[in-house]
Amino acid sequence: MGRSIPYENKRRIGQGYGSGFRPRLLQRFTTSLALLLAFMYSPAVSGRQQKAETTRRSKASAIPVKEQEKPILLETGPFDPPGWAKANQTSLPMKAGLGGLVSIQANVDFNGNNIVGDAANEPSLAVDPTNPNRIAVGWRQFDTITSNFRQAGTSFSRDGGRTWSGMTIIEPGFFRSDPVLTSGPDGTFYYMSLGIPGGQFLEDMFISTDGGETWPTKVFVFGGDKSWFAIDMTGGIGDGNIYQAWNIAGNEFFPNQFNRSVDAGLSWENPVEYEPGVSSPVRPVFGQVAVGISGEVFVAGSLNSANTGTFWVVRSSDAQDAMITPTFDQITTVNMGGNLRIATGPNPAGLLGQVNIAVDHSGGVNHGNVYVLASVDPPNSDPLDVMFIRSTDGGATFSAPVRVNDDAIGNSAWQWFGTMAVAPNGRIDVVWNDTRISRVTDVSTLFYSYSTDGGATWAINIPVSPAFNSFVGWPQQNKLGDYYDMVSDNLGAHLIWAATFNGEQDVYYLRIGDYDCNLNGIGDTEDIALMTSTDCNLNGIPDECEIAAGMSQDANFDGIPDGCDADCDNNGVPDYLEILQGIHEDCNLNTIPDVCDIDDRTSRDCDGSGVPDECEIASGFHADVNADGIPDACQDCNENGVLDPDDLAAGTSRDCNLSGIPDECETSDRNGNGIPDFCEDCNNNLVADHIDISSGFSNDGNGNTIPDECDQPGDVNNDLLVNVTDLLDLLANWGLCFGFPCLGDLNFNGAVDVTDLLIVLNNWGS
């Protein structure tokens, strides 16, 4: 059995590799980085993208030996200084929708806002299999695009990805990359992260038992560049084992590329080779790990090359046995129908996608099938297609490649970042970025397809996002990361992916299909509609899932969120349930039955109808002309003990403007004659004064809303009387006027003076 190295001794790693370990280590790192830079900026590579868009490059039948000897290292920038985000600069979070599907930004601050000027990419996620509304995501967090320095960003959700907690950083200030997350069978979350302390490519695993809210446990796991891992959930002798595979570049333990943990990630064994002692061993890279139905372990990958058609699937049948050092008993060369490409097209400095591998654990007709998928450069004129193969004999042989994308061959579209997951019922879900709509290399749309027959046929491709530009928001490296991540269930899929809808790189959660938070095989929407699940707060999430995920409390353990426990009529049935069952109405949607609103006087019911006044007004059943919240039918404005409608009907009050309010209660009656100013007809022509003025029939030179022919000389305050009040108003405005009309300027000469005083005195008492 492999020797386990405790975490506290990890900084002494390499002592067993000879006295020259560290110098050789630094030399390997420097050489790999130089080779990467030379590859990325060579004329041949820089011209490859342009050529693919025009005349289409010629395809070599074999990969040059020199190309095979250059191990591709995809992680750069560990020595860049940390960058700092723009202080307090935020914007609204992005929700990008198409066809009813909405991608929700996950890398937000604690107020739920987007952080301006940062970048987030290369995301991965963990979904609790016992409570799928508990999700955690991780990504490469660049606090500013002016620096290549990055950290381990993370966030969590308790409502199935509808909202996200504020972003946190695992080990702030420490360079981290290549995040990979998954969940164990009991809901424990694991976050694997690459660090490069002192130039050494080393992986740590962080463990969370609270759904990704905290990551207190840190374990050294060996590893290296482009590591991936999987957990055995078969229930066999290897149940709970964790298996990891990684690159040959950025590898401090070369030629070893694989190791495991047999104690749920708390310690890790020394790495091993796939083919020890073989002169030309296989060394698959840029791929994933999967566990078979009998606990066997599969690793898929390609040759380490920027353009290769060499792919392998390797299998270990004994890695599940903790008492045996893992060996690989089956190595299969597979045909993916094209070449894996790196650093070209829509992702100029990164992968165009991983080599995905998954196993069908459905128990159905495809139980045990092994599936491999990758975005590859096919032999036709297309630059990249999503291709799929399957094995029905445990990975010994594979089918001919099947093209998943259904666009026309020869349209020069890039189908990149192909990502696959298999649901417990055997459905295969696939997403990828696609340029078929834009026909432009840097403008992609996320597409989706699925298969229910083991990958023999595929559903019509559908776009599931708006378009985005993959060349926007590069953080000192010209790529959108190297991969996406997806977890499928029987009704749909949880996807975490990166896009640039905000004009910068951000990570987005997308739910494809209905949720099934209680794992009953029925969509949450249908559960609530059929009332097989309750939703007391009407947020679209079954109550039992809110409680289970910790989103709501249930102190009395009655299965009802505490906020919904109210029983205002004390009949033993919660209010929300009586509302749902139609026993009580809740017209104002405050989750309190109307009868209780009225009894508690939180709502009024002036007409005794049993319906709160605000609802009768809102529905139009009652008018509320003065907008005081009391139906006009219930008003008694003159406080004579008779409701206003009865006063008007009996003729004891008039309503000249048909407002439903007695004239004596209208607010404007300057002359105190009991007629609202709005209804005055001073010239007795049976037309209201305001209509005479607005129609031009009468003039209103002083702007006092009274026709000039009706103006009372000397009436400063327009109450149609000349008395001491007018004299006081005139004296208060004595002097030059500023503005028009000017109170007290009765002769309109621009001043309140002695001539105006004489006008008042001459008309005194009129």
Side-chain angles (χ1 to χ4, degrees):
M1 184 171 65
R3 180 175 62 88
S4 174
I5 294 182
Y7 169 73
E8 56 269 21
N9 295 329
K10 75 174 187 176
R11 298 307 173 207
R12 296 197 294 273
I13 298 167
Q15 293 177 355
Y17 289 80
S19 60
F21 173 72
R22 291 187 182 275
R24 288 200 303 271
L25 171 66
L26 184 58
Q27 182 180 13
R28 280 205 309 274
F29 170 74
T30 305
T31 301
S32 297
L33 182 59
L35 287 171
L36 174 65
L37 294 174
F39 165 75
M40 288 173 56
Y41 294 103
S42 68
V45 172
S46 61
R48 188 171 287 131
Q49 175 189 342
Q50 180 179 2
K51 194 171 182 181
E53 293 177 359
T54 54
T55 61
R56 178 68 179 160
R57 70 209 174 287
S58 60
K59 300 201 174 181
S61 58
I63 298 171
V65 173
K66 288 186 178 180
E67 189 72 27
Q68 297 183 36
E69 294 174 351
K70 296 179 181 178
I72 304 299
L73 176 66
L74 291 171
E75 291 304 323
T76 60
F79 303 116
D80 285 4
W84 304 102
K86 297 180 179 179
N88 300 321
Q89 291 195 23
T90 61
S91 62
L92 293 176
M94 176 59 69
K95 291 186 178 181
L98 182 71
L101 297 173
V102 180
S103 292
I104 301 170
Q105 186 177 350
N107 61 314
V108 293
D109 68 10
F110 283 95
N111 293 317
N113 291 322
N114 172 59
I115 301 169
V116 175
D118 72 343
N121 62 34
E122 210 162 280
S124 182
L125 83 167
V127 180
D128 186 342
T130 69
N131 186 351
N133 270 9
R134 291 164 58 95
I135 305 173
V137 298
W139 64 86
R140 303 194 311 166
Q141 171 62 28
F142 300 78
D143 284 343
T144 172
I145 62 172
T146 62
S147 173
N148 208 15
F149 185 84
R150 50 201 179 272
Q151 302 171 92
T154 183
S155 184
F156 66 91
S157 175
R158 293 291 179 266
D159 56 9
R162 296 170 176 86
T163 61
W164 292 91
S165 68
M167 173 185 68
T168 59
I169 301 296
I170 298 178
E171 294 191 330
F174 192 84
F175 177 95
R176 291 205 168 275
S177 200
D178 287 1
V180 185
L181 284 74
T182 197
S183 176
D186 61 350
T188 298
F189 286 175
Y190 299 88
Y191 188 134
M192 187 172 285
S193 176
L194 173 68
I196 313 182
Q200 301 180 62
F201 284 68
L202 303 171
E203 292 269 354
D204 293 303
M205 176 169 279
F206 299 89
I207 302 175
S208 173
T209 57
D210 57 10
E213 188 169 351
T214 62
W215 301 88
T217 304
K218 175 182 177 180
V219 182
F220 170 64
V221 302
F222 297 84
D225 180 47
K226 286 294 160 284
S227 178
W228 203 264
F229 73 100
I231 300 177
D232 187 327
M233 299 173 65
T234 62
I237 63 170
D239 191 65
N241 285 0
I242 308 177
Y243 306 105
Q244 176 190 198
W246 61 93
N247 197 355
I248 59 172
N251 183 347
E252 311 306 330
F253 315 102
F254 180 83
N256 304 306
Q257 293 179 260
F258 177 90
N259 73 340
R260 69 180 177 185
S261 169
V262 296
D263 57 6
L266 296 179
S267 65
W268 288 74
E269 297 175 359
N270 285 339
V272 298
E273 250 187 298
Y274 295 120
E275 287 190 295
V278 176
S279 59
S280 297
V282 301
R283 289 169 180 158
V285 299
F286 307 140
Q288 297 179 351
V289 184
V291 178
I293 58 174
S294 299
E296 66 273 42
V297 182
F298 296 95
V299 179
S302 71
L303 186 73
N304 187 302
S305 170
N307 185 354
T308 179
T310 302
F311 296 86
W312 299 287
V313 173
V314 300
R315 184 189 72 186
S316 174
S317 298
D318 58 17
Q320 60 188 304
D321 189 342
M323 304 307 296
I324 299 175
T325 298
T327 61
F328 289 82
D329 59 327
Q330 180 174 280
I331 295 174
T332 306
T333 301
V334 298
N335 173 22
M336 291 304 303
N339 284 13
L340 190 79
R341 303 291 308 284
I342 298 177
T344 186
N347 210 35
L351 292 177
L352 276 302
Q354 294 177 298
V355 183
N356 297 251
I357 188 167
V359 177
D360 185 313
H361 288 265
S362 67
V365 295
N366 295 308
H367 186 66
N369 282 4
V370 182
Y371 305 128
V372 182
L373 177 135
S375 290
V376 297
D377 187 353
N380 56 52
S381 60
D382 283 343
L384 219 65
D385 284 331
V386 178
M387 303 297 285
F388 170 90
I389 60 175
R390 68 174 175 177
S391 173
T392 59
D393 57 8
T397 62
F398 282 80
S399 67
V402 175
R403 187 174 184 259
V404 176
N405 49 291
D406 59 8
D407 57 322
I409 294 175
N411 68 357
S412 297
W414 295 80
Q415 279 84 29
W416 57 291
F417 270 18
T419 303
M420 174 178 66
V422 179
N425 61 8
R427 188 192 68 254
I428 310 170
D429 295 315
V430 177
V431 297
W432 65 92
N433 295 329
D434 199 316
T435 67
R436 73 173 75 176
I437 296 175
S438 71
R439 301 296 178 92
V440 179
T441 301
D442 57 347
V443 178
S444 294
T445 300
L446 187 71
F447 268 71
Y448 167 75
S449 184
Y450 67 92
S451 174
T452 57
D453 58 8
T457 61
W458 292 86
I460 295 173
N461 303 173
I462 60 170
V464 292
S465 84
F468 67 95
N469 190 330
S470 62
F471 284 9
V472 171
W474 285 336
Q476 300 302 301
Q477 52 178 242
N478 299 350
K479 68 177 183 177
L480 193 66
D482 291 314
Y483 49 79
Y484 297 156
D485 196 12
M486 183 164 57
V487 175
S488 294
D489 56 46
N490 285 342
L491 292 187
H494 303 274
L495 173 69
I496 193 73
W497 65 297
T500 61
F501 302 122
N502 268 328
E504 59 186 27
Q505 292 185 358
D506 294 302
V507 295
Y508 291 89
Y509 170 85
L510 174 62
R511 174 64 188 181
I512 302 173
D514 197 1
Y515 291 88
D516 181 21
C517 68
N518 53 19
L519 301 173
N520 66 350
I522 301 172
D524 292 349
T525 303
E526 186 176 357
D527 266 338
I528 293 170
L530 295 176
M531 298 184 67
T532 52
S533 289
T534 57
D535 178 20
C536 70
N537 54 11
L538 307 179
N539 66 353
I541 303 173
D543 293 338
E544 67 268 26
C545 297
E546 289 197 50
I547 295 169
M551 186 178 173
S552 295
Q553 300 300 312
D554 181 22
N556 59 1
F557 303 103
D558 63 353
I560 302 170
D562 291 343
C564 300
D565 270 338
D567 178 18
C568 70
D569 55 6
N570 298 312
N571 66 351
V573 182
D575 294 341
Y576 85 91
L577 192 56
E578 292 187 301
I579 293 170
L580 285 174
Q581 293 173 344
I583 297 173
H584 286 311
E585 297 295 328
D586 178 24
C587 69
N588 53 15
L589 302 179
N590 65 352
T591 71
I592 300 172
D594 294 342
V595 63
C596 297
D597 271 336
I598 294 169
D599 288 346
D600 295 339
R601 297 189 177 183
T602 54
S603 291
R604 289 178 296 186
D605 179 23
C606 71
D607 60 1
S609 65
V611 180
D613 293 344
E614 66 267 25
C615 298
E616 292 190 304
I617 293 170
S619 68
F621 184 80
H622 280 313
D624 180 22
V625 174
N626 60 0
D628 65 352
I630 301 173
D632 295 341
C634 298
Q635 298 276 5
D636 178 19
C637 69
N638 53 20
E639 298 181 350
N640 65 351
V642 180
L643 293 177
D644 295 344
D646 296 335
D647 269 338
L648 297 175
T652 53
S653 291
R654 292 180 299 176
D655 181 18
C656 69
N657 56 4
L658 303 179
S659 66
I661 300 173
D663 291 345
E664 65 268 26
C665 299
E666 294 277 11
T667 57
S668 178
D669 179 19
R670 289 174 295 188
N671 59 8
N673 65 354
I675 301 174
D677 295 338
F678 190 80
C679 299
E680 290 282 6
D681 178 22
C682 69
N683 52 18
N684 297 313
N685 66 348
L686 302 181
V687 178
D689 294 343
H690 72 92
I691 297 177
D692 276 339
I693 294 170
S694 63
S695 67
F697 182 81
S698 295
N699 293 321
D700 181 20
N702 59 2
N704 67 353
T705 71
I706 299 173
D708 290 346
E709 66 266 25
C710 300
D711 268 336
Q712 173 65 51
D715 180 17
V716 176
N717 60 5
N718 299 317
D719 63 355
L720 301 182
L721 298 173
V722 180
N723 54 24
V724 68
T725 306
D726 299 300
L727 179 61
L728 293 175
D729 285 342
L730 184 144
L731 294 175
N733 291 280
W734 194 270
L736 293 175
C737 287
F738 298 95
F740 177 85
C742 176
L743 188 65
D745 182 17
L746 301 175
N747 58 1
F748 310 116
N749 68 348
V752 180
D753 52 23
V754 67
T755 56
D756 300 305
L757 177 60
L758 292 174
I759 294 173
V760 171
L761 295 176
N762 289 335
N763 291 279
W764 193 268
S766 298

